[in-house]
């Protein structure tokens, strides 16, 4: 039995505690906005917030989230995620879209942790763990700058 | 897929709207308005059990375009909806798009004569057809409003989704049902391009919002009641066959329900992905590799190199080659090696099937429905009509889902069949399965030789290419003419350059490693070989890379000239060179579109780092410049990733040496150059943009690197250590 909070709701799962959080979210809770890309924390498509910090859910066993608070793309709230989503649409970032939940989670975490507008180097550092095979990087960078302006950082 | 492939197929007659039907929508609340192709007029009506034509107008005024093309990131949902909305005079806000199901009779790609997406043909083949759909629907809405209001049709106006006459105004929804009963106009007029208000302007893609909030539904996101997840244990080498397996330990894993032998290997069925992963790991499988590819890629390269050296069969010859070399004052030679490449779409291959009461329904990013639907039907022993494929968003493809072999369709069909009962099954690949799974861009060797006379003219040019055929052994084999697969060397022949003499040769090689189209197909290697070798030749002839190319172009090559000149102007080619930076230019025509790129490169720890790219593209009429720019940016990043990192290699014994993104790296954000795109203004019918951004980047990068360091790039990817 693993008990934790997902998107503000109490959840109890009676499955193998070694199960990666990614598959618990997708297969058991049907929260499919969080994506599988590599399974070894190399691509960032599975990024969620665990206790407010970005985390690769594909390498996070369920046992590690016991009593914790998980937020997925579906449950994100606040000015940062709103600014990011708005910028993502305005700049039309996604192509195939598979990696974008993870990109948006990482970008949101960066803006939540930024007291001032992130520089290109800050963006590189925060986003280098998220692969986009469609290479939408030019627009990801532009959208993060745009979101930072919306947030008046 | 290649433009040559497109040409090789018989083009279908242009299917124009001719029939409409009224039916209750899924919820019974909306009326739908269908337009089906004219070609079906004499045939029995298609069963009206599902939305199966191009357009649906809801009572809520939404206009849903059923996209006959798979949306895998290149924007056809938005593009097709734009064409319909333009002629329908709809408001962009009311437009929606969704994938059309598998049905060759309705949704043929007019460039192929069969349903499929590829070869950057989505917009080109739909250009007239989808505008006709919009114009037809518009005329019928006008007729319905005129009848309802008792006014002449000529006085009814439609603008921005509003039908009006005098003070009367209405949305489309209120007239959808009546419109469907109106006579179909034989040839509704299409707008003059000067009247376009959507075509030619930027707009975000229709699928963008769902891709930013987690609601977009891809194959892996599909859940069905009682569904089992299936992972397949696959052969350790290409061509290895299954001898036996022991499933005791696998079946002991909690959640594992069954284990079955299928053509692709041993399938483990489980409740959830993790149980399937554990079950597969617990399998004990014995394989026979006697007939497998046992060569390492080093050995394959040696064999292919020898074949290229021997010259292959002649696929193009012009002038007297021997005389050309005899007249040369200097001769330049080179060999360039290209590895196998995996497409590595971010969503690995997957498919969902549900079999119930003798019918099968599937959900996946199906790229070639024309091959997949009968393949599933055959695997299940069902009539084709009883197999429905819902074509949904794909998390990238780059050619990977466009299988002549229909191997994924075969696999998912066999998985359902082998289960021996009704039920729902989701097959998915892990990243390791994907990278080990073959269907690679063919490993290729080019051998080039050129003669230059005292005046700097190129007197002779030969290029011999050795690689496997993509079409051979697939249903496309019938389209190979005279035993030649044009996708193997497209881009090396029919060059618009004036050479004194030329010969292009192709040696077809064999290997059990399956190969496939890979974003820009033959151009992935031919553009690199031609444009880097030409760069060396021009230097030897004492010519500037840009001016030298322009001087070589045939007089009729106006579009080639325009993209080269534009890219040169954008990059300030004649301007001062920045310290520590190298500049290179290259261009290619692929899939009907012309793209030239200039790359600015710097030396970062002995490896090229691209800082800026200037890109000029001529793809005919620009339907949505935003999407064109996105595809150029993305194509540049995809190609840069390839040039810097991508290689699938086989070790001694034939096993794939890479397994995941740590050893098959992808370009990351800090390696992405700034990109500037200029679209050439054109009144020519549109051509594709999904692939044409890719070919010029690699050679432009290598040319920039040679300009900076003097190093010739004779293999891709760039060696990890500089050989200085």
């Amino acid at each position: 039995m693993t008990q934790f909070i997902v998107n503000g709701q109490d959840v109890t799962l009676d499955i193998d505690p070694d199960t990666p959080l990614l598959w618990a979210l997708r297969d058991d809770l049907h929260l499919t906005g969080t994506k599988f890309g590599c399974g070894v924390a190399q691509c960032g498509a599975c990024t969620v917030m665990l206790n407010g910090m970005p985390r690769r859910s594909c390498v996070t066993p369920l046992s590690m989230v016991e009593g914790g608070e998980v937020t997925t793309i579906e449950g994100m709230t606040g000015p940062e995620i709103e600014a990011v989503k708005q910028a993502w649409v305005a700049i039309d970032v996604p192509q195939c879209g598979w990696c974008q939940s993870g990109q948006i989670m990482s970008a949101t975490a960066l803006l939540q942790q930024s007291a001032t507008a992130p520089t290109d180097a800050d963006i590189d550092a925060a986003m280098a763990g998220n692969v986009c095979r469609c290479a939408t990087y030019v627009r990801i960078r532009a959208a993060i700058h745009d979101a930072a302006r919306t947030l008046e950082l | 897929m290649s433009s040559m492939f497109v040409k090789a197929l018989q083009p279908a007659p242009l299917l124009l709207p001719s029939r409409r039907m009224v039916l209750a929508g899924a919820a019974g609340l909306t009326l739908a308005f269908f337009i089906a192709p004219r070609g079906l007029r004499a045939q029995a009506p298609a069963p009206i059990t599902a939305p199966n034509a191009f357009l649906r107008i809801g009572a809520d005024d939404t206009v849903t375009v059923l996209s006959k093309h798979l949306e895998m990131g290149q924007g056809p949902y938005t593009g097709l909806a734009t064409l319909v909305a333009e002629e329908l005079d709809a408001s962009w806000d009311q437009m929606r798009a969704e994938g059309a199901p598998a049905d060759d009779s309705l949704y043929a790609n007019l460039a192929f004569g069969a349903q499929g997406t590829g070869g950057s043909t989505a917009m080109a083949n739909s250009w007239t057809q989808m505008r006709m759909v919009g114009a037809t629907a518009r005329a019928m809405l006008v007729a319905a409003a005129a009848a309802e209001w008792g006014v002449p049709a000529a006085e009814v106006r439609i603008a921005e989704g509003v039908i009006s006459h005098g003070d009367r105004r209405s949305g489309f929804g209120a007239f959808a049902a009546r419109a469907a009963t109106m006579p179909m106009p034989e040839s509704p007029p299409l707008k003059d391009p000067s009247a376009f208000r959507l075509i030619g302007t930027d707009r975000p893609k229709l699928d963008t919002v769902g891709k930013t909030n987690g609601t977009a539904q891809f194959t892996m996101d599909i859940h069905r009641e009682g569904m089992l997840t299936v992972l397949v244990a696959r052969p350790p080498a290409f061509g290895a066959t299954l001898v036996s397996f022991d499933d005791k330990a696998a079946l002991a894993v909690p959640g594992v329900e069954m284990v079955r032998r299928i053509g692709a290997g041993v399938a483990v069925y489980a409740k959830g992905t993790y149980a399937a992963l554990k079950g597969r790991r617990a399998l004990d499988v014995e394989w026979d590799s006697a007939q497998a590819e046992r060569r390492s890629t080093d050995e394959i390269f040696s064999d292919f190199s020898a074949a290229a050296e021997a010259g292959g069969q002649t696929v193009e010859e012009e002038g007297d080659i021997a005389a050309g070399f005899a007249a040369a004052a200097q001769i330049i030679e080179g060999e360039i090696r290209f590895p196998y490449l995996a497409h590595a779409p971010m969503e690995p291959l997957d498919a969902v099937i549900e079999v119930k009461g003798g019918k099968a329904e599937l959900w996946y990013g199906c790229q070639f429905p024309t091959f997949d639907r009968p393949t599933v039907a055959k695997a299940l022993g069902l009539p084709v009509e009883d197999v429905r494929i819902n074509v949904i968003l794909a998390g990238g493809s780059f050619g990977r889902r466009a299988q002549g072999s229909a191997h994924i369709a075969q696999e998912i069909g066999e998985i359902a069949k082998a289960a021996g009962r009704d039920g729902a099954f989701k097959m998915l690949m892990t990243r390791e399965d994907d990278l080990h799974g073959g269907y690679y861009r063919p490993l290729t060797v080019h051998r080039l030789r050129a003669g230059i006379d005292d005046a700097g003219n190129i007197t002779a040019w030969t290029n011999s290419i050795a690689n496997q055929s993509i079409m051979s052994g697939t249903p496309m084999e019938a389209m190979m003419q005279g035993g030649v697969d044009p996708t193997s060397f497209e881009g090396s022949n029919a060059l618009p350059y004036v050479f004194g003499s030329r010969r292009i040769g192709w040696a077809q090689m064999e290997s059990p490693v399956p190969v496939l189209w890979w974003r820009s197909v033959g151009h992935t290697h031919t553009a690199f070989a031609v444009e880097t070798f030409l760069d060396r030749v021009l230097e030897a002839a004492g010519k500037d890379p840009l001016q030298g190319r322009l001087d070589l172009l045939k007089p009729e090559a106006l579009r080639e000239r325009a993209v080269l000149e534009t890219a040169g102007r954008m990059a300030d080619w004649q301007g001062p060179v920045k310290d520590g930076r190298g500049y290179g230019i290259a261009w290619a025509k692929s899939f009907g579109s012309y793209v030239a790129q200039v790359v600015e490169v710097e030396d970062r720890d002995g490896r090229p780092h691209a800082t800026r790219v200037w890109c000029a593209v001529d793809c005919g009429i620009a339907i949505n410049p935003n999407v064109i720019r996105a595809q150029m940016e993305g194509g540049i990043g995809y190609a840069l990733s390839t040039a810097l990192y991508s290689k699938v290699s086989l070790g001694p014994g034939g096993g794939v040496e890479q397994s995941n993104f740590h050893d098959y790296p992808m370009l990351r954000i800090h390696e992405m150059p700034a990109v500037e795109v200029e679209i050439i203004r054109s009144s020519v019918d549109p051509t594709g943009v999904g692939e044409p951004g890719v070919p010029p980047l690699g050679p432009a990068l290598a040319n920039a690197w040679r300009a900076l360091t003097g190093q010739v790039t004779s293999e891709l990817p760039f060696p990890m250590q500089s050989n200085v």
Side-chain angles (χ1 to χ4, degrees):
Chain A
M1 277 314 188
T2 308
Q3 291 193 323
F4 57 113
I5 296 170
V6 177
N7 297 337
Q9 298 203 316
D10 289 322
V11 168
T12 303
L13 285 179
D14 185 13
I15 59 174
D16 186 341
D18 290 340
T19 305
L21 174 61
L22 170 68
W23 298 117
L25 291 170
R26 291 182 54 86
D27 292 344
D28 297 285
L29 300 174
H30 296 184
L31 290 168
T32 54
T34 305
K35 303 302 190 197
F36 164 77
C38 70
V40 292
Q42 287 287 315
C43 78
C46 67
T47 305
V48 298
M49 298 293 182
L50 175 59
N51 300 324
M53 296 295 287
R55 177 142 198 113
R56 307 297 188 230
S57 63
C58 74
V59 293
T60 305
L62 209 50
S63 57
M64 196 185 272
V65 304
E66 170 73 39
E69 200 171 326
V70 173
T71 311
T72 68
I73 184 82
E74 293 94 340
M76 290 289 284
T77 54
E80 291 86 3
I81 183 72
E82 291 310 320
V84 166
K85 285 202 278 198
Q86 197 185 323
W88 242 249
V89 173
I91 291 169
D92 203 26
V93 175
Q95 289 188 23
C96 90
W98 188 256
C99 75
Q100 295 295 341
S101 295
Q103 303 282 358
I104 285 171
M105 296 301 278
S106 293
T108 303
L110 166 66
L111 292 170
Q112 284 173 343
Q113 291 154 19
S114 298
T116 56
T119 63
D120 279 341
D122 295 335
I123 292 173
D124 284 347
M127 304 300 295
N130 287 84
V131 167
C132 175
R133 184 60 166 146
C134 302
T136 60
Y137 300 124
V138 168
R139 295 182 185 218
I140 288 172
R141 185 183 302 285
I144 293 173
H145 285 308
D146 186 67
R149 277 191 295 275
T150 303
L151 293 165
E152 298 180 353
L153 290 176
Chain B
M1 224 166 25
S2 86
S3 48
M4 297 298 287
F5 169 52
V6 172
K7 265 184 245 144
L9 283 154
Q10 286 295 319
L14 185 62
L15 299 177
L16 299 177
S18 73
R19 188 161 46 92
R20 71 283 184 207
M21 304 156 194
V22 185
L23 82 165
L29 299 172
T30 59
L31 284 170
F33 173 40
F34 280 7
I35 293 181
R38 186 186 297 280
L40 296 180
R41 191 193 289 268
Q43 300 173 16
I48 312 173
T49 52
N52 61 355
F54 294 117
L55 177 64
R56 198 166 67 226
I57 296 178
D60 60 355
D61 290 338
T62 56
V63 177
T64 302
V65 170
L66 285 101
S67 171
K68 63 180 187 171
H69 291 298
L70 173 65
E71 180 57 83
M72 44 195 166
Q74 279 63 48
Y77 277 15
T78 307
L80 298 184
T82 301
L83 301 183
V84 171
E86 179 70 64
E87 296 292 344
L88 184 57
D89 279 316
S91 147
W92 183 246
D93 294 341
Q94 73 192 117
M95 298 306 294
R96 309 283 183 271
E98 62 186 52
D103 188 341
D104 260 340
S105 68
L106 292 171
Y107 300 118
N109 181 329
L110 303 180
F112 303 168
Q115 192 177 356
T117 303
S120 297
T121 58
M123 300 316 299
N125 93 91
S126 306
W127 171 240
T128 302
Q129 183 188 33
M130 295 311 286
R131 285 184 300 141
M132 287 294 285
V133 167
T136 301
R138 185 190 196 282
M140 293 167 76
L141 283 167
V142 164
E148 180 84 16
W149 292 338
V151 300
E155 292 178 9
V156 175
R157 298 187 64 241
I158 300 187
E160 285 291 319
V162 176
I163 310 171
S164 64
H165 182 272
D167 293 339
R168 277 182 287 220
R169 297 164 67 81
S170 172
F172 291 168
F175 284 109
R178 186 149 190 183
T181 67
M182 290 290 133
M184 175 81 56
E186 276 303 312
S187 51
L190 295 179
K191 285 182 182 174
D192 184 83
S194 62
F196 289 158
R197 67 204 160 89
L198 294 173
I199 293 170
T201 60
D202 283 338
R203 79 195 51 81
K205 294 186 291 298
L206 289 172
D207 47 331
T208 290
V209 171
K211 288 174 175 177
T212 59
N213 60 18
T215 60
Q217 288 277 295
F218 298 83
T219 306
M220 211 182 288
D221 304 335
I222 299 288
H223 281 280
R224 305 294 298 171
E225 187 64 32
M227 185 179 79
L228 296 178
T229 301
V230 180
L231 284 169
V232 179
R234 298 166 193 279
F238 296 105
T241 51
L242 180 63
V243 177
S244 63
F245 64 94
D246 179 346
D247 59 10
K248 255 194 282 326
L251 287 167
V253 172
V256 173
E257 301 261 307
M258 52 183 153
V259 176
R260 296 284 187 272
R261 178 182 194 138
I262 61 168
V266 183
V268 176
Y269 302 62
K271 288 179 179 156
T273 315
Y274 188 57
L277 283 165
K278 289 214 306 193
R280 185 171 69 167
R281 266 201 301 271
L283 275 180
D284 189 2
V285 187
E286 192 191 333
W287 303 95
D288 177 0
S289 294
Q291 302 302 313
E293 176 61 88
R294 308 281 293 165
R295 290 175 294 179
S296 68
T297 36
D298 287 345
E299 293 166 307
I300 295 174
F301 268 127
S302 297
D303 294 347
F304 284 27
S305 176
E309 174 65 22
Q313 60 177 309
T314 301
V315 295
E316 182 180 77
E317 193 162 16
E318 198 180 287
D320 186 337
I321 294 286
F325 280 116
Q330 49 175 333
I331 290 172
I332 309 284
E333 287 186 272
E335 177 179 292
I336 311 177
R337 296 180 170 200
F338 302 87
Y340 288 122
L341 297 176
H343 308 68
M346 287 306 289
E347 180 187 16
L349 297 191
D350 44 10
V352 174
I353 190 167
E354 185 169 70
V355 179
K356 202 159 42 178
K359 290 186 192 296
E361 185 164 7
L362 295 93
W363 295 261
Y364 68 108
C366 174
Q367 196 168 346
F368 273 2
T370 193
F371 297 137
D372 283 13
R373 194 178 180 204
T375 299
V376 172
K378 194 172 171 205
L380 285 167
L382 293 177
V384 170
E385 311 81 76
D386 290 336
V387 173
R388 178 181 169 88
I389 299 179
N390 300 290
V391 181
I392 63 175
L393 296 175
S397 171
F398 315 110
R400 183 64 182 89
R401 298 177 207 271
Q403 303 136 9
S405 69
H407 71 98
I408 291 298
Q410 178 70 26
E411 196 169 314
I412 193 69
E414 286 185 32
I415 283 168
K417 181 76 175 174
R421 61 163 173 80
D422 281 1
F425 309 96
K426 176 197 287 181
M427 184 285 295
L428 65 90
M429 285 192 180
T430 61
R431 181 58 56 195
E432 290 80 2
D433 295 335
D434 172 59
L435 291 177
H436 289 173
Y439 294 94
Y440 303 132
R441 190 285 303 274
L443 179 149
T444 300
V445 176
H446 279 248
R447 282 199 73 95
L448 299 112
R449 196 156 179 258
I452 308 164
D453 69 14
D454 282 328
N457 299 309
I458 299 171
T459 54
W461 173 279
T462 65
N463 185 3
S464 303
I465 298 146
N467 58 16
Q468 295 166 246
S469 161
I470 294 170
M471 290 187 183
S472 180
T474 77
M476 264 85 71
E477 187 161 20
M479 290 167 285
M480 288 174 61
Q481 287 158 1
V484 167
D485 180 349
T487 69
S488 297
F489 53 82
E490 58 182 356
S492 67
N493 60 328
L495 292 173
Y497 292 132
V498 177
F499 297 140
S501 61
R502 67 177 87 201
R503 178 189 181 273
I504 310 302
W506 176 54
Q508 181 179 351
M509 307 304 290
E510 300 292 341
S511 166
V513 179
V515 293
L516 193 58
W517 355 81
W518 192 100
R519 198 177 190 178
S520 79
V521 198
H523 302 279
T524 56
H525 51 87
T526 58
F528 190 93
V530 169
E531 288 288 297
T532 60
F533 189 65
L534 179 63
D535 223 57
R536 291 175 57 199
V537 170
L538 288 172
E539 185 184 45
K543 296 185 177 173
D544 171 75
L546 172 56
Q547 194 56 47
R549 281 172 173 79
L550 293 173
D551 292 346
L552 267 184
L553 285 177
K554 295 175 178 175
E556 64 271 25
L558 299 177
R559 297 175 79 181
E560 292 87 342
R561 184 175 300 278
V563 290
L564 275 166
E565 286 176 345
T566 303
R569 172 175 53 69
M570 293 168 73
D572 193 14
W573 183 263
Q574 306 299 344
V577 171
K578 279 194 209 162
D579 242 8
R581 303 279 168 96
Y583 297 84
I585 190 165
W587 75 278
K589 178 191 179 188
S590 61
F591 313 97
S593 294
Y594 303 76
V595 179
Q597 291 167 2
V598 174
V599 172
E600 178 187 79
V601 74
E602 61 183 32
D603 183 336
R604 206 169 272 189
D605 305 322
R607 297 254 301 161
H609 174 74
T611 45
R612 298 181 73 179
V613 178
W614 295 268
C615 173
V617 51
D618 175 356
C619 55
I621 293 170
I623 295 170
N624 184 343
N626 165 51
V627 170
I628 296 167
R629 286 194 302 274
Q631 287 310 303
M632 293 302 116
E633 294 160 7
I636 285 164
Y638 194 87
L640 184 56
S641 201
T642 305
L644 292 177
Y645 298 124
S646 300
K647 173 170 76 173
V648 170
S649 56
L650 311 186
V656 175
E657 294 181 311
Q658 292 73 27
S659 63
N660 208 311
F661 291 142
H662 63 285
D663 51 12
Y664 192 77
M666 301 282 113
L667 191 83
R668 290 170 188 269
I669 192 168
H670 59 281
E671 299 156 308
M672 184 74 195
V675 177
E676 220 174 285
V677 178
E678 193 167 315
I679 302 166
I680 307 285
R681 285 187 68 84
S682 174
S683 56
V684 176
D685 284 355
T687 45
V689 293
E691 296 168 275
V694 171
L697 189 281
L701 177 75
N703 292 341
W705 185 242
R706 197 173 62 79
L708 182 66
T709 65
Q711 291 173 41
V712 172
T713 305
S714 56
E715 62 175 317
L716 285 181
F718 277 83
M720 286 313 285
Q721 284 300 316
S722 161
N723 52 12
V724 170

